Amino acid sequence: MQVTQLNGPQIISTGSATPQKSLHNEQIGEIVDTSDEWISTRTGIKSRKITDNKVGITSLAVEASNKAIEKAKIQPKDIDLIILATSSPDDLFGSASKIQYELKATKAAAFDITAACSGFVISLITAAQFIKSGTYKKILIIGADVLSKWVDWSDRRTCILFGDAAGAIIMESSNMDCILSSSIKTDGSQTDQLSLTANSTISNPALQLNHRYYNFIDMNGKEVYKFAVSKLPTAIADCIKNANLSIEKVNWLLLHQANERIINAVASKLLLPQEKVISNLSKYGNTSAASIPLALDEANQKGILKTGDIIIMAGFGAGFTWSVVLLKW
Ligand code: COA
């Protein structure tokens, strides 16, 4: 879409970061009753990257952001806003401020968005609103999660799925709007199907004072699977229709990298051939808010995304939330 003023959001660069340490399916088979064969056939995951003990999302996010900033050929002080999508911040009050400080992006406002595996697409849609309104011109959008630290490593139903990573993009105002259509959906009645809830314990019995801590990730895998394959195709088809496009015009499907079977089922419902599907989860597992920008950066680095390509990005997960953005590269 042509816009009259310089307030059309455009993605001008991407970056990503993953920890050094890999954890292969066979290694998980040494700690819980599972196998590479079971994990690979049910999920498509072969390996994932895991942060060391004291490493959290901040350092991964800073590394991914610095790469995106460098590729955009801008300075950190040029950034007006930083939006961090994460559900595993290093600080419950938010980690975006620390990232702003470490990047020396002194002019940027910064805040976190918590929406699990939909977080990155929701953040991208949010950032686009700030550009379209003329409020900001350069926005750094980050998806970063370290869910390996929040799984119960004795629970084979969940510990096989998650890995750690960060991905970042720079969005800039231009005379073209790269967002063709978008949507954000929530079904709060399904919150209990996938959760990382707080718990509390009495710390002073006399005064009945308590303090909170968090449980491990809890998931009803079958329900999450059913939700994803039923809701995503409809939401994506609606976005394509709202942009007055047909599915044949779509060049790439980039879904949240949760499970290969979910990705294939959605692509097949949409009648999208396999060669249009971007997938890298076999190497990284489900990296939550980081999965889409990580896969986007890999695709970008490989040079497979061409100017003018139509890309569907869709996040889905806890909440339940699901969000779709149709964009022109
Ligand atoms: N290794 C071996 N066996 C396992 C296992 C593992 N890691 N995890 C579960 N099992 C067992 C179960 O105990 C069950 O055994 P039983 O029949 O003796 O009771 C059997 O495998 C089937 O379990 P089930 O939960 O029905 O498996 P599934 O086919 O639904 O596959 C998931 C499980 C998690 C792979 C699948 O439900 C899924 O991918 N869901 C979506 C999860 C997701 O993407 N979450 C993140 C969204 S953002």
Side-chain angles (χ1 to χ4, degrees), residues 17-24 27 47-55 60 148-149 153 162-165 283-284:
T18 54
Q20 291 284 313
K21 187 163 80 193
S22 293
L23 185 69
H24 302 286
Q27 292 169 285
S47 184
R48 68 286 293 140
K49 299 280 189 174
I50 305 284
T51 42
D52 287 332
N53 184 23
K54 296 228 163 105
V55 179
L60 285 174
S148 76
K149 294 182 193 299
W153 283 102
F162 299 98
D164 306 336
K283 290 184 287 180
Y284 302 111

Side-chain angles (χ1 to χ4, degrees), residues 11-309:
I11 296 169
I12 60 164
S13 70
T14 61
S16 63
T18 54
Q20 291 284 313
K21 187 163 80 193
S22 293
L23 185 69
H24 302 286
N25 290 348
E26 291 82 356
Q27 292 169 285
I28 300 184
E30 290 165 16
I31 56 171
V32 289
D33 183 12
T34 191
S35 64
D36 173 46
E37 205 262 330
W38 195 97
I39 302 170
S40 308
T41 48
R42 305 266 177 145
T43 70
I45 300 165
K46 298 289 288 178
S47 184
R48 68 286 293 140
K49 299 280 189 174
I50 305 284
T51 42
D52 287 332
N53 184 23
K54 296 228 163 105
V55 179
I57 56 135
T58 303
S59 56
L60 285 174
V62 167
E63 188 184 335
S65 302
N66 273 326
K67 289 180 187 166
I69 290 167
E70 198 175 309
K71 281 190 227 148
K73 298 190 171 57
I74 63 169
Q75 298 300 315
K77 63 175 170 39
D78 298 332
I79 299 168
D80 302 308
L81 174 67
I82 298 169
I83 302 180
L84 168 67
T86 188
S87 300
S88 48
D90 295 334
D91 182 335
L92 207 48
F93 290 154
S95 288
S97 308
K98 188 72 179 289
I99 292 167
Q100 183 248 30
Y101 171 73
E102 294 206 0
L103 289 174
K104 300 190 177 62
T106 46
K107 205 179 80 184
F111 58 81
D112 292 29
I113 285 183
T114 306
C117 305
S118 302
F120 180 77
V121 174
I122 292 175
S123 299
L124 192 156
I125 295 168
T126 305
Q129 305 302 316
F130 280 115
I131 301 248
K132 286 185 194 198
S133 69
T135 312
Y136 295 122
K137 298 212 171 309
K138 283 188 178 49
I139 303 182
L140 167 64
I141 308 154
I142 310 162
D145 267 309
V146 287
L147 291 189
S148 76
K149 294 182 193 299
W150 294 96
V151 288
D152 176 354
W153 283 102
S154 65
D155 175 10
R156 67 178 183 175
R157 296 170 307 126
T158 52
C159 75
I160 57 164
L161 298 175
F162 299 98
D164 306 336
I169 62 172
I170 304 279
M171 182 182 272
E172 188 179 66
S173 60
S174 79
N175 61 356
M176 293 294 282
D177 183 352
C178 77
I179 312 267
L180 305 176
S181 64
S182 65
S183 73
I184 299 176
K185 308 267 187 195
T186 304
D187 178 0
S189 70
Q190 302 295 311
T191 302
D192 293 345
Q193 307 290 5
L194 178 52
S195 59
L196 210 181
T197 51
N199 212 331
S200 51
T201 182
I202 300 289
S203 52
N204 183 307
L207 294 175
Q208 281 292 297
L209 302 176
N210 59 77
H211 75 259
R212 293 208 121 185
Y213 62 92
Y214 283 84
N215 299 315
F216 293 121
I217 291 173
D218 187 46
M219 183 184 74
N220 181 339
K222 277 207 184 314
E223 288 305 317
V224 175
Y225 186 91
K226 278 197 275 181
F227 142 72
V229 298
S230 71
K231 298 291 186 191
L232 285 175
T234 314
I236 291 170
D238 287 348
C239 267
I240 294 172
K241 194 168 157 219
N242 291 342
N244 290 320
L245 287 175
S246 59
I247 193 75
E248 297 76 40
K249 298 281 179 214
V250 172
N251 299 95
W252 301 107
L253 176 70
L254 174 42
L255 294 187
H256 164 52
Q257 305 285 295
N259 181 311
E260 198 172 53
R261 289 191 303 151
I262 293 177
I263 296 173
N264 291 343
V266 173
S268 129
K269 278 194 178 182
L270 291 167
L271 305 177
L272 267 175
Q274 199 59 39
E275 58 271 20
K276 291 189 172 183
V277 175
I278 295 175
S279 173
N280 67 355
L281 97 161
S282 66
K283 290 184 287 180
Y284 302 111
N286 178 345
T287 58
S288 194
S291 87
I292 290 177
L294 173 64
L296 182 72
D297 184 47
E298 272 198 8
N300 194 20
Q301 284 193 52
K302 280 188 204 152
I304 61 170
L305 308 175
K306 306 287 177 232
T307 304
D309 276 1

